[in-house]
Amino acid sequence: MKMRERLARLDYVQRSRAFKVIASVIVGVLAIGAFLAYSVAINAPSSAAITLDDVSPPAQVTPGGAGADADGNPASAEGSRADPAANLPQATTLSATAKLVNEVLSAKQDASGVGATIAISAAFALGIIWLGLGLTALALGAVAAAVVWPLSLFPSTRGPALMVGGVVVLAGCFSVLMRLLAMLFSLPGATFAIAKNVLAEAVRMKISLVFIVLLIFGLAALPAILDPEQPLRYRVQSFLQYATAGSFWIVAVLVLTFAVASVCFEQRDKVIWQTMTKPVRHWQYVLGKWIGISGLALALMAVCGSAIFIFTEYLRDQKASGESAPYVSENQKGVSDDRVVLETQVLVARRTAAAEPPEVDEEQFGKNVDARVEAELEMISQLDDDTVEIRDQKIQEIKQKVAEGLRSSVQSQYRSIEPGAREDYLFTGLKGVRDTNRPLFLRYKVDAGSNAPDSIYTLTFQFPNDYPFTETIGLGQFNTIRLLPGVVDADGNVAVRIINGNFRTGEANAETIMFPPGALEISYPAGSYRMNFLRVMAVLWVKLAFLAMLAIAAATFLSFPVACLVSFVTFLSAEGSRFILSSLEMYATEDRDGKMLLIPTIIAKVAQGVAGTFQIYGDLRPTARLVDGQLLPWSSVFMATTVLALATFALFLAAWAIFRKRELAMYSGA
Amino acid sequence: MTPITSAPFASAALPIPTTPTTVPAARTGDPVVVVQQVNRTFKDFWMRDVARAVNSLSFEIYPREVFGLLGPNGSGKSTTIKMMLGLLKPTSGRISVFGKEPTDVAVKKRIGYLPEESYMYGFLNARETLDYYAKLFEIDSRTRARRIDELLDMIGLTGAQFRPVREYSKGMQRRIGIAQALINDPDFLILDEPTTGLDPIGTRQVKELIIQLGKRGKTVLLSSHLLADVEDCVDRLVILYGGQKRAEGACDDLLVSRDRTSIETDLLDEGTVAEVDRVIRARSGGEQAILKVSKPRQSLEALFLDIVERAKAEQVATSGATSGGETAAFLQGAPKEGEALIADLLTVRETNVPAALVPSAASQPAAAPPANGPDTSVITDLLSARGPDEGSEYRPGSSAPPSAPSSMSSPTPANGAPEVRPPAVDDSVIGSLLDSPDRPAGERP
């Protein structure tokens, strides 16, 4: 009998009611026995250390007992006491037992706490058993004991031991979740039958199993690549970035590939005939596939998310830069900067307010635009040959272009400060922060020239009713200034003046500095990191559910390679929509003479249409927000869920309509 | 025993019963399947006609009959079946199953389908496969478990139920395919090449199963090009070629030889044979004679089965599929008693009659006995013991179902032989059934 068949038989046994009952009884007996034994031990009358003599039979026995004579007089002490010399193995065992009992008694453990621990462990074990994973859990535990424990004994192999242990735990959690899902999908109906079949297919087909194994091993190995010399905040951010993004992308590729394969291969191999000649409606088939694949994605993201969260919390409790021990700075005063940044800007959910550009005098702006247009018209002679309508149209186009250019210039000018000059910035919408009495953070990044890595610039900051102060910074990287809530005025505004130079020495910096878009903002904690993490995972799963329906819809009428191509192109377009839209601002569709270029114009239009379609999807940026400690509010989650749910439903209707019309006995693919 | 084949009687004086006076019970009620002038043309990507798979096909399948759909490769059998199941749509014409469109979900609840190849999920084992398909029929868990156990036992895959289906041999996959077609105890079973890949034992079991299902009142559509398998099972059949119907009718009507008589006796010496030949010549005035004398052969199937049965009795080990067990209990139906049993027995088909009692020219029109003809009382007695005749005259290309004969009279032998009994009653069958309820399946001529 092959291993697979054996495993299938064992799986059948562990899911049988008889096994579950017997195993439950065993677990119950062990739990009760453990608790009783502990209760007896802690309720022993003497609190002194137990000696070997104490565990031997007592010298005096009750009347009528074995050691008493007919009158009830006790037997002699010598006769009734165990002879250590004669019973050496017994003495050794007894001494070990005495030592163990003493350790337990001296631990000052509360009986109720131990009882709760035993109860929880027993409940957990019973849950595993009744999920039909009793033998699986035993096997994983045996693997862990056989492999992890020996490796953990040596410092050089502790890393691999942790990795193997991580793999075992992740695999176990995944098995439990999949079994829970399978139980949930045991509800009556063809839809759930198909969904449950998808789960079985996912863990037995190589095309999906490869990704699952890659994900579990990759996640378990990720901590090993973190540089222990890096500041803790960077380690945490690196781990969050790679783990969250990596998990999402691997699961996304798995979802797309597996969804397409599941539907396409059934049609190609005619397996679908056996299903669709049963009383199964077309929408039930499509919906069942989607539920199964979304369930798989949920299980994987739950496992990955839990692992990422747990390890992040573990990292959080490590020593940060400038600390002698976790949360203890080297100078014994306060906490280190690394710890502060970690706790206030990374492992937090911050809301941000960007600097508002000054209001433009529209009248003056209009005059400036007209003046520029006049200047341009003088340089263009060919308009004289055009008709009045065409001439007016071209003038309007020139005017629009000039206006856009001018506004862009105003923005850039606002963000730029010449050497020695100053600029005032206003941040609004911060009224709620004032009352929370929590610090704010001015977060900024400065570009100047080519952002030479060895360039050091000194900037001066001044807030209302406060002394100015300087900050010496490098170029091209984010810096943070902690602010007290008092900087927020009664209207909820924060005003700051920034000088491009050192006000004390009067020295100006060498070049004009510029704050790129999104690089000058005030942020404040608006929620907990943990809830933010949960929202991020929820949004990631909603995206995966959308991708699943996209792949299924493509697979209902396209062959496997074409459906994969369509699905992946759509996925990449959605993920890159922000980048595409920002790139289009730089993309030239006209030559130097202002003449429209056909191909670039078409490309731009198509790209704009595609990126615009997925703008909401692209603007979510859940991973980036998590890594930067930015808040992903519930409103964004609900909006994203609603929009993606509508898109998913639209794809479902399309898939159903196409699938209904298909003649399944005809296969048009390779 | 020596079969004697002689030329037909010149004057056809033998009083052979006419076609039955009543419509056989198997063909009462609305047709299960109606195929009306159906065409199916396959087109290429540019919508040009490539092949016409089915051409103006019309036939009907009635309740409780085993219907054969025969034809060579590429004759349109599988295409027709796929149209019945909604996997393909007719280019023109109409198909209805249980009076509804083939794509109707309610119809599919009553259908079991075995395709020409077993298209299974390779990653599921046998038990999981049957469980999955049973869930699609929304069968409750207890019934599901019971039926799966019975079916696995019936198809002989209990020992291999935990092996993935992709590791099965073709025959084993075929068996699991048959099981999934039966999981819902269908009213209408469609079997497309069911015996492909099966060993003779499996083939025999499938044939017995089909016959048993037919007896139970199920309607079975059997499509095959293995004629020997079809011949033993079907009541009526259609033969296709090039997508067109070439023949239709009852099996016996189409197969019986109208110009030969076959008589099987114990071993005869040459002298006896010569004497029989002389008698025949004398009676026919020299126009008829013995055409062939030969010794009957045991069929290869019978020999094979005998050897296998002996090996099983000796408990020789095997790693393949074992021979299946009894037909699953839920497929056998509940045992009938009293009035229901009698009613069933009264409508039993002619195919239940032992072979010795079935004449070879059953559908020949009745002919007037010759004025000075030979004494045919013995043969007449033999023929009059035959049950109701389902068949009708052979009408090639006919799309209409065989109709009841217009004449209600029974043939009267000229020599005053006993009148032919009403064809609906067959005491011998009733007697044997009442005496031993567990008649072995597959006892067909």
Side-chain angles (χ1 to χ4, degrees):
Chain A
M1 191 187 297
K2 284 188 178 177
M3 178 60 72
R4 194 174 298 160
E5 205 174 336
R6 281 184 211 272
L7 291 175
R9 278 187 189 271
L10 287 173
D11 187 51
Y12 186 71
V13 165
Q14 72 176 347
R15 285 191 288 143
S16 66
R17 191 174 289 270
F19 175 85
K20 289 176 185 176
V21 169
I22 294 169
S24 301
V25 168
I26 293 172
V27 165
V29 166
L30 287 173
I32 294 170
F35 185 71
L36 285 175
Y38 181 71
S39 297
V40 166
I42 64 167
N43 287 327
S46 170
S47 61
I50 297 174
T51 66
L52 197 59
D53 289 343
D54 292 334
V55 299
S56 61
Q60 190 169 17
V61 297
T62 54
D69 60 15
D71 296 330
N73 296 320
S76 67
E78 285 182 11
S80 64
R81 188 169 294 191
D83 185 354
N87 299 298
L88 199 55
Q90 184 183 2
T92 306
T93 305
L94 288 173
S95 68
T97 306
K99 186 180 174 190
L100 177 63
V101 172
N102 283 331
E103 282 174 0
V104 171
L105 291 176
S106 65
K108 291 188 182 178
Q109 285 194 16
D110 183 15
S112 62
V114 173
T117 303
I118 292 172
I120 290 169
S121 303
F124 182 73
L126 287 173
I128 296 290
I129 288 167
W130 282 91
L131 279 176
L133 291 170
L135 293 178
T136 306
L138 273 178
L140 287 174
V143 166
V147 177
V148 175
W149 182 70
L151 288 176
S152 63
L153 293 175
F154 307 99
S156 58
T157 55
R158 274 201 193 119
L162 276 175
M163 184 181 147
V164 173
V167 168
V168 169
V169 169
L170 288 173
C173 293
F174 180 67
S175 301
V176 169
L177 281 173
M178 289 294 278
R179 189 55 62 94
L180 276 171
L181 279 173
M183 286 176 66
L184 182 65
F185 293 162
S186 295
L187 293 169
T191 307
F192 288 111
I194 293 168
K196 190 174 177 183
N197 202 44
V198 168
L199 292 183
E201 186 177 8
V203 295
R204 299 182 194 184
M205 296 297 284
K206 291 190 184 66
I207 196 167
S208 50
L209 202 56
V210 164
F211 286 105
I212 295 171
V213 169
L214 179 68
L215 185 63
I216 290 176
F217 272 85
L219 208 55
L222 197 54
I225 69 170
L226 297 176
D227 182 2
E229 303 303 321
Q230 254 192 341
L232 184 61
R233 66 180 184 275
Y234 294 139
R235 273 187 279 159
V236 170
Q237 282 188 304
S238 297
F239 177 73
L240 281 175
Q241 172 71 43
Y242 294 134
T244 310
S247 299
F248 172 72
W249 276 78
I250 290 177
V251 176
V253 172
L254 162 66
V255 161
L256 289 172
T257 314
F258 177 60
V260 170
S262 180
V263 176
C264 281
F265 290 168
E266 279 193 24
Q267 294 181 78
R268 182 196 66 184
D269 299 336
K270 302 171 189 174
V271 175
I272 200 170
W273 294 6
Q274 302 274 43
T275 300
M276 297 310 295
T277 51
K278 307 288 188 286
V280 177
R281 293 174 173 80
H282 292 91
W283 65 264
Q284 287 179 313
Y285 181 81
V286 175
L287 186 62
K289 287 288 184 186
W290 179 75
I291 289 175
I293 295 168
S294 300
L296 172 68
L298 180 67
L300 287 170
M301 290 308 292
V303 169
C304 295
S306 303
I308 293 168
F309 182 81
I310 290 170
F311 190 76
T312 303
E313 292 293 317
Y314 163 78
L315 271 182
R316 188 182 207 168
D317 290 339
Q318 302 307 300
K319 261 195 319 182
S321 296
E323 288 183 345
S324 57
Y327 296 92
V328 179
S329 70
E330 284 172 343
N331 59 10
Q332 304 296 322
K333 292 178 183 175
V335 291
S336 65
D337 289 340
D338 190 24
R339 176 68 62 184
V340 167
V341 172
L342 176 68
E343 296 294 337
T344 59
Q345 294 187 48
V346 178
L347 296 181
V348 72
R350 294 179 295 114
R351 203 185 284 273
T352 59
E356 292 282 334
E359 286 186 12
V360 172
D361 183 351
E362 289 297 330
E363 193 179 339
Q364 184 59 44
F365 183 77
K367 287 178 184 173
N368 291 345
V369 168
D370 291 337
R372 293 261 179 119
V373 168
E374 288 291 332
E376 290 242 3
L377 287 175
E378 284 173 9
M379 293 168 59
I380 300 172
S381 57
Q382 65 198 44
L383 285 176
D384 296 334
D385 301 329
D386 293 327
T387 61
V388 173
E389 290 83 12
I390 293 175
R391 181 190 159 88
D392 286 344
Q393 186 185 346
K394 283 187 178 175
I395 289 172
Q396 284 301 320
E397 286 173 6
I398 292 169
K399 206 170 182 179
Q400 189 179 355
K401 217 167 52 171
V402 166
E404 284 173 4
L406 261 183
R407 285 194 197 278
S408 180
S409 298
V410 167
Q411 293 274 346
S412 297
Q413 208 170 356
Y414 174 67
R415 293 179 174 283
S416 304
I417 308 175
E418 292 176 353
R422 69 181 186 203
E423 189 67 58
D424 292 337
Y425 298 95
L426 186 69
F427 301 88
T428 60
L430 299 169
K431 202 168 187 178
V433 185
R434 188 186 160 84
D435 302 326
T436 62
N437 202 28
R438 300 185 75 179
L440 298 86
F441 296 91
L442 176 67
R443 198 161 170 263
Y444 63 97
K445 182 170 76 168
V446 168
D447 291 344
S450 59
N451 280 356
D454 56 346
S455 296
I456 302 292
Y457 273 42
T458 302
L459 303 181
T460 303
F461 295 85
Q462 186 178 18
F463 291 89
N465 305 320
D466 201 356
Y467 291 107
F469 60 92
T470 57
E471 292 278 322
T472 304
I473 58 165
L475 299 175
Q477 50 187 318
F478 274 100
N479 303 279
T480 310
I481 300 174
R482 188 167 34 183
L483 307 171
L484 295 173
V487 301
V488 183
D489 64 18
D491 296 327
N493 301 326
V494 174
V496 60
R497 174 171 290 176
I498 302 177
I499 302 171
N500 187 2
N502 188 335
F503 84 103
R504 291 183 206 281
T505 62
E507 287 179 24
N509 293 311
E511 300 203 43
T512 300
I513 64 170
M514 185 187 161
F515 300 102
L520 182 64
E521 59 188 22
I522 280 186
S523 64
Y524 56 94
S528 77
Y529 151 75
R530 294 183 176 100
M531 284 306 298
N532 210 36
F533 185 88
L534 190 66
R535 286 191 289 267
V536 165
M537 287 294 141
V539 167
L540 288 176
W541 178 76
V542 170
K543 289 168 93 174
L544 289 170
F546 164 74
L547 292 175
M549 187 56 82
L550 167 71
I552 291 170
T556 53
F557 67 102
L558 296 171
S559 63
F560 175 74
V562 178
C564 280
L565 183 67
V566 168
S567 302
F568 275 95
V569 165
T570 308
F571 168 57
L572 294 172
S573 302
E575 286 292 319
S577 58
R578 269 174 68 92
F579 173 75
I580 293 172
L581 285 172
S582 63
S583 300
L584 282 173
E585 292 175 7
M586 315 286 187
Y587 188 65
T589 56
E590 293 172 353
D591 60 12
R592 288 183 185 176
D593 298 327
K595 193 178 168 187
M596 188 185 77
L597 301 167
L598 180 63
I599 302 292
T601 302
I602 293 173
I603 292 172
K605 293 288 182 196
V606 171
Q608 198 154 20
V610 169
T613 303
F614 294 109
Q615 190 168 1
I616 293 177
Y617 181 104
D619 285 346
L620 283 169
R621 299 168 49 239
T623 304
R625 289 184 196 234
L626 181 69
V627 173
D628 287 341
Q630 290 185 7
L631 176 72
L632 181 64
W634 281 115
S635 58
S636 295
V637 174
F638 290 139
M639 187 194 64
T641 304
T642 303
V643 170
L644 288 176
L646 287 172
T648 304
F649 185 66
L651 285 170
F652 167 71
L653 290 177
W656 175 46
I658 293 169
F659 196 51
R660 279 183 70 202
K661 296 293 180 192
R662 290 268 287 172
E663 290 183 301
L664 294 174
M666 299 275 297
Y667 179 73
S668 57
Chain B
M1 292 180 51
T2 307
I4 300 172
T5 308
S6 67
F9 296 103
S11 55
L14 197 64
I16 298 168
T18 58
T19 49
T21 57
T22 58
V23 175
R27 267 191 273 128
T28 54
D30 294 330
V32 172
V33 175
V34 175
V35 177
Q36 266 183 348
Q37 293 296 313
V38 166
N39 288 283
R40 171 68 204 196
T41 304
F42 290 99
K43 299 179 189 291
D44 63 8
F45 180 79
W46 307 106
M47 304 308 286
R48 295 175 301 191
D49 291 352
V50 173
R52 179 173 270 194
V54 176
N55 190 358
S56 300
L57 183 63
S58 297
F59 63 87
E60 290 174 347
I61 303 175
Y62 288 88
R64 299 197 302 278
E65 72 173 350
V66 181
F67 188 87
L69 190 62
L70 307 185
N73 295 334
S75 57
K77 306 186 299 294
S78 294
T79 302
T80 304
I81 288 173
K82 287 167 193 170
M83 286 192 285
M84 282 183 202
L85 291 163
L87 295 174
L88 284 175
K89 291 176 187 160
T91 307
S92 65
R94 180 179 155 264
I95 293 181
S96 71
V97 181
F98 291 112
K100 295 182 182 173
E101 290 291 317
T103 50
D104 193 311
V105 169
V107 163
K108 292 179 184 175
K109 280 188 181 176
R110 304 171 67 183
I111 294 177
Y113 171 51
L114 173 68
E116 53 195 330
E117 293 285 338
S118 295
Y119 306 120
M120 301 284 161
Y121 290 102
F123 57 87
L124 296 178
N125 59 38
R127 176 167 286 275
E128 290 170 335
T129 298
L130 294 179
D131 190 62
Y132 169 66
Y133 290 120
K135 280 182 186 170
L136 297 182
F137 286 104
E138 298 188 6
I139 299 172
D140 65 274
S141 59
R142 197 166 287 185
T143 307
R144 242 180 12 239
R146 180 172 47 81
R147 286 190 182 182
I148 289 170
D149 288 335
E150 289 175 6
L151 283 169
L152 286 173
D153 186 57
M154 184 183 92
I155 60 176
L157 286 180
T158 304
Q161 61 178 303
F162 294 113
R163 215 187 295 174
V165 169
R166 65 168 162 260
E167 295 179 11
Y168 282 1
S169 66
K170 184 172 182 181
M172 293 165 76
Q173 289 189 0
R174 215 78 190 109
R175 288 164 190 256
I176 196 71
I178 291 169
Q180 65 82 31
L182 297 169
I183 191 71
N184 61 322
D185 193 15
D187 294 327
F188 179 38
L189 184 62
I190 300 175
L191 303 174
D192 196 350
E193 312 281 357
T195 56
T196 303
L198 293 181
D199 56 26
I201 301 167
T203 301
R204 179 59 170 255
Q205 287 175 331
V206 168
K207 287 195 282 189
E208 288 174 359
L209 174 67
I210 293 170
I211 294 165
Q212 194 165 23
L213 289 172
K215 282 184 190 176
R216 237 194 98 204
K218 304 294 186 182
T219 308
V220 180
L221 169 61
L222 175 60
S223 169
S224 179
H225 57 265
L226 300 176
L227 303 178
D229 296 342
V230 173
E231 183 179 352
D232 295 340
C233 305
V234 302
D235 303 318
R236 237 170 22 97
L237 58 88
V238 151
I239 299 176
L240 302 183
Y241 184 83
Q244 289 183 315
K245 184 171 66 177
R246 302 295 299 177
E248 180 183 8
C251 203
D252 288 336
D253 295 345
L254 296 174
L255 297 179
V256 75
S257 175
R258 299 169 196 281
D259 57 357
R260 293 282 186 275
T261 300
S262 179
I263 301 172
E264 199 164 287
T265 71
D266 294 319
L267 183 64
L268 301 177
D269 57 31
E270 287 190 16
T272 307
V273 171
E275 181 65 21
V276 170
D277 185 52
R278 191 189 64 74
V279 168
I280 292 172
R281 286 176 193 277
R283 283 175 173 266
S284 64
E287 289 180 7
Q288 295 170 342
I290 292 175
L291 299 177
K292 187 175 76 172
V293 175
S294 61
K295 290 187 173 54
R297 297 202 311 172
Q298 182 189 26
S299 69
L300 183 57
E301 181 188 20
L303 173 66
F304 182 93
L305 291 172
D306 182 49
I307 292 171
V308 170
E309 288 299 319
R310 276 193 265 130
K312 277 167 56 178
E314 293 167 16
Q315 295 183 340
V316 176
T318 176
S319 62
T322 58
S323 295
E326 292 293 319
T327 301
F330 75 92
L331 293 172
Q332 293 180 30
K336 293 185 179 172
E337 297 176 351
E339 297 286 336
L341 175 61
I342 294 173
D344 259 8
L345 293 173
L346 288 175
T347 59
V348 71
R349 294 191 287 266
E350 68 162 350
T351 50
N352 292 339
V353 176
L357 299 178
V358 177
S360 60
S363 61
Q364 279 193 358
N372 297 315
D375 182 3
T376 58
S377 59
V378 173
I379 297 178
T380 303
D381 286 342
L382 287 172
L383 292 176
S384 66
R386 183 170 166 264
D389 183 357
E390 274 190 11
S392 64
E393 289 187 15
Y394 164 58
R395 296 196 295 274
S398 166
S399 60
S403 56
S406 55
S407 169
M408 295 291 288
S409 62
S410 302
T412 305
N415 56 1
E419 195 173 320
V420 175
R421 288 170 164 197
V425 177
D426 185 342
D427 286 347
S428 63
V429 175
I430 293 172
S432 64
L433 284 173
L434 288 174
D435 288 340
S436 55
D438 296 326
R439 279 193 73 182
E443 194 170 305
R444 295 171 73 93

